[in-house]
């Protein structure tokens, strides 16, 4: 499985002590050039460098991809529902559509696109909660019950400063460990 990461995701995951799970979940993690340009902190740049050295690739969008991304941004804006994406997220979404990749993003606009734009309905966008869930499901990340999954989310939140809605955490904890009736 391949993934493409946007800036907000990389910034967040550069702070997480278990970010190496990405290497176990994905054969290749692409980083678009515009995302690389947006990364400013030494911590994030170092993290991106480690990704690129291990199993990552720098992605240089073509002019055609930029045009498609611009069209996507306009389509999302025309919905008029307050959802917005910028060029880096749009490039990730267009890439993922063409390459059947997973978009790694914390951007709610990017997360909403597959639900709002018909020709992007097959695109998968994973936020941190989905990545941690998938790592736990595949036993890349060792969690033993609902409580240990929730504790791992709390560790993630403490280390990164990125908060995940309790409702989402409970939903994924219950998916991992269904209650028997």
């Amino acid at each position: 499985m391949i993934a493409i990461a946007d800036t907000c995701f990389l910034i967040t995951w550069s702070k997480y002590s278990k970010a190496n799970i990405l290497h176990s979940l994905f054969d290749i993690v692409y980083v678009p050039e515009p995302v690389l340009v947006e990364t400013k902190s030494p911590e994030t740049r170092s993290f991106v460098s480690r990704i690129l050295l291990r199993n990552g690739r720098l992605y240089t969008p073509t002019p055609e991809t930029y045009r498609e991304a611009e069209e996507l941004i306009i389509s999302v804006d025309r919905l008029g529902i307050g959802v917005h994406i910028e060029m880096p997220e749009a490039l990730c979404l267009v890439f993922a559509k063409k390459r059947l990749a997973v978009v790694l993003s914390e951007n709610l606009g990017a997360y909403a696109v597959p639900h709002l734009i018909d020709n992007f309905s097959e695109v998968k966008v994973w936020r941190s909660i989905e990545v941690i869930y998938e790592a736990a499901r595949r036993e890349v990340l060792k969690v033993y019950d609902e409580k240990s999954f929730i504790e791992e989310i709390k560790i993630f939140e403490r280390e990164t400063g990125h908060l995940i809605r309790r409702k989402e955490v409970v939903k994924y904890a219950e998916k991992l460990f269904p209650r028997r009736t």
Side-chain angles (χ1 to χ4, degrees):
M1 183 165 30
I2 63 172
I4 186 162
D6 76 5
T7 312
C8 56
F9 186 89
L10 293 170
I11 291 169
T12 300
W13 278 68
S14 71
K15 301 170 189 168
Y16 183 39
S17 61
K18 296 179 184 169
N20 62 333
I21 64 175
L22 296 173
H23 303 300
S24 299
L25 291 176
F26 301 103
D27 300 316
I28 301 169
V29 177
Y30 285 90
V31 178
E33 280 183 9
V35 166
L36 188 60
V37 169
E38 282 188 338
T39 60
K40 302 290 184 210
S41 79
E43 181 181 46
T44 305
R45 286 195 171 229
S46 176
F47 176 64
V48 170
S49 294
R50 289 192 306 275
I51 286 175
L52 293 174
L53 285 171
R54 182 121 183 232
N55 70 334
R57 296 209 179 120
L58 191 59
Y59 168 60
T60 304
T62 64
E64 177 187 337
T65 303
Y66 273 104
R67 278 192 297 282
E68 289 178 53
E70 286 172 359
E71 289 171 11
L72 177 59
I73 291 167
I74 292 166
S75 295
V76 170
D77 285 346
R78 281 188 181 147
L79 294 173
I81 58 174
V83 174
H84 180 71
I85 58 172
E86 293 179 5
M87 186 55 72
E89 293 87 24
L91 289 168
C92 289
L93 289 158
V94 170
F95 175 93
K97 179 182 168 192
K98 290 179 178 180
R99 300 286 305 274
L100 303 177
V102 174
V103 175
L104 302 175
S105 179
E106 294 299 341
N107 181 290
L108 294 179
Y111 184 73
V113 165
H115 307 283
L116 300 172
I117 307 291
D118 288 339
N119 60 339
F120 282 83
S121 64
E122 299 299 315
V123 173
K124 290 183 174 81
V125 178
W126 288 4
R127 301 163 298 172
S128 295
I129 185 71
E130 284 88 15
V131 174
I132 294 170
Y133 163 78
E134 195 60 29
R137 190 184 72 76
R138 294 186 196 178
E139 299 180 358
V140 170
L141 191 60
K142 304 298 181 209
V143 295
Y144 307 99
D145 54 19
E146 257 186 68
K147 186 177 177 182
S148 63
F149 177 76
I150 292 168
E151 185 55 36
E152 187 58 43
I153 296 297
K154 287 179 182 176
I155 291 168
F156 172 83
E157 290 176 328
R158 237 184 348 265
E159 291 179 357
T160 66
H162 180 80
L163 301 179
I164 299 171
R165 284 189 244 151
R166 289 296 126 218
K167 184 177 173 183
E168 293 280 325
V169 175
V170 169
K171 176 180 97 175
Y172 282 101
E174 289 175 352
K175 263 177 94 169
L176 267 178
F177 303 101
R179 294 194 176 128
R180 296 182 186 143
T181 55

